[in-house]
Amino acid sequence: GIRLSPVEYLIQYRLTQAALKLRTTEESVAVIAQECGFSDSSYFCRKFKEFFHMRPKEYRGYQKEH
């Protein structure tokens, strides 16, 4: 597989934790970003979209429908 740098691995881990919170809680995107170690929610949203190919709010909406 593709080798991730430790930083990228950590970011992906945090993003998967954030995705779990988006699916299982009603917390705001900003709160989830902070809880998962992202001090900047716009950076979080950008990284989230790169990884999941949708914005956090879209991801939450999509999960609710399926």
Side-chain angles (χ1 to χ4, degrees):
I2 299 166
R3 293 286 311 212
L4 292 173
S5 73
V7 170
E8 282 299 315
Y9 178 83
L10 182 62
I11 288 169
Q12 287 194 7
Y13 174 78
R14 287 172 170 176
L15 289 172
T16 57
Q17 295 299 106
L20 179 66
K21 285 179 181 282
L22 286 165
R23 290 198 303 274
T24 59
T25 76
E26 297 297 318
E27 289 174 345
S28 73
V29 171
V31 167
I32 290 171
Q34 292 239 291
E35 286 179 347
C36 293
F38 294 91
S39 55
D40 179 349
S41 61
S42 63
Y43 174 77
F44 165 72
C45 290
R46 190 166 76 245
K47 284 298 195 182
F48 192 95
K49 193 169 198 300
E50 277 173 25
F51 189 63
F52 291 103
H53 306 291
M54 56 180 93
R55 296 195 310 277
K57 285 197 166 98
E58 291 173 314
Y59 180 88
R60 174 174 266 164
Y62 179 83
Q63 294 296 330
K64 287 225 161 72
E65 289 161 24
H66 295 78

